[in-house]
Amino acid sequence: MTELRFGCTEVRADRHAAGPTLVFRLRITAPGGGRVHAVALRCQLRIEPARRSYAEREGERLADLFGDRSRWGSTLNPIQFAQVSLMVPGFTGETEIDVAVPCTYDLDIAATRYFRALDEGDVPLLLLFSGTVFSGPAGFQVTPVSWDRETSARLPVKVWREMIEQHFPGCGWLRLPGDVIDGLLAFRTRRALPSWEATVRALLSTAEPAEVGEGAL
């Protein structure tokens, strides 16, 4: 019973979640239509950037992750996206279950910067599985999920953008150290600026007046 087979049939955004969440519809098949009492499942999700092409503008945005395009032959390495655990209820033969994956819009996270850099198409993902299977027609037989269990999935970029737009409409999110926030607050107070957006715009226009204009922001 360690030879469970896995497949991903759909990826969608959870429109009712409190925070950005993707839902992967997972199909699990037991060999020979066997009885499975439960599965304590772990799923690691990994982005496989080398499995798609990139437009010129996308390549420019990805330079901080992979360097210049001329180096991509050696730098397009997999990116860790998420790791989740769940209990799969008992089934016979085959079942489908939703796997909820909480997401972040923290631009310090490599996966988030990768998603944001893309304009269209799909994100190639690899789902790797481990865990424990409780099976048997009578009583329990406890065996591990085989170490080589995996499946691929395609996450449409538009699904990720719609999910983020639902929770952060028209906005981004940056995490800053406390002393930097204190400095920004002091600058905002001295200038009597009405919002954080106005504060950042004022700093940008002061730092690079020749390159950053109102239209560029």
Side-chain angles (χ1 to χ4, degrees):
M1 193 58 66
T2 59
E3 299 303 318
L4 294 177
R5 297 193 303 273
F6 298 88
C8 182
T9 62
E10 180 190 21
V11 186
R12 68 181 191 276
D14 187 344
R15 297 186 179 277
H16 304 291
T21 302
L22 291 171
V23 178
F24 291 76
R25 186 68 174 174
L26 198 64
R27 177 178 296 150
I28 307 174
T29 306
R35 172 64 181 166
V36 175
H37 300 293
V39 184
L41 190 65
R42 293 185 297 275
C43 178
Q44 177 185 347
L45 295 93
R46 197 167 67 188
I47 300 169
E48 302 277 292
R51 288 170 45 202
R52 62 157 284 166
S53 59
Y54 301 92
E56 182 177 351
R57 290 291 301 275
E58 292 175 331
E60 293 171 357
R61 300 186 199 114
L62 289 168
D64 68 324
L65 287 176
F66 305 123
D68 186 79
R69 194 182 283 263
S70 63
R71 300 175 52 210
W72 283 12
S74 59
T75 61
L76 284 183
N77 298 316
I79 300 172
Q80 177 72 12
F81 174 32
Q83 185 163 317
V84 294
S85 299
L86 69 153
M87 287 298 301
V88 180
F91 65 94
T92 299
E94 185 175 278
T95 189
E96 291 193 1
I97 189 170
D98 287 339
V99 180
V101 179
C103 302
T104 177
Y105 201 29
D106 184 349
L107 293 176
D108 283 340
I109 306 299
T112 305
R113 297 206 304 277
Y114 177 83
F115 290 139
R116 183 174 171 81
L118 304 181
D119 291 324
E120 57 186 13
D122 296 335
V123 175
L125 299 173
L126 185 65
L127 283 62
L128 303 102
F129 301 98
S130 60
T132 304
V133 183
F134 303 91
S135 62
F140 281 108
Q141 190 176 28
V142 181
T143 53
V145 174
S146 182
W147 63 270
D148 61 350
R149 299 295 90 178
E150 62 183 43
T151 190
S152 59
R154 309 289 295 192
L155 166 61
V157 172
K158 66 178 182 179
V159 170
W160 183 85
R161 289 191 175 278
E162 289 170 0
M163 175 192 68
I164 293 299
E165 185 67 17
Q166 177 186 351
H167 295 277
F168 305 104
C171 300
W173 189 90
L174 290 175
R175 180 178 60 183
L176 299 172
D179 59 335
V180 175
I181 291 176
D182 291 342
L184 285 171
L185 181 59
F187 179 84
R188 176 178 174 176
T189 301
R190 289 196 303 271
R191 299 289 186 93
L193 297 167
S195 65
W196 287 115
E197 178 185 351
T199 302
V200 174
R201 286 183 183 274
L203 286 169
L204 287 173
S205 63
T206 300
E208 301 179 68
E211 297 182 15
V212 182
E214 189 67 25
L217 296 173

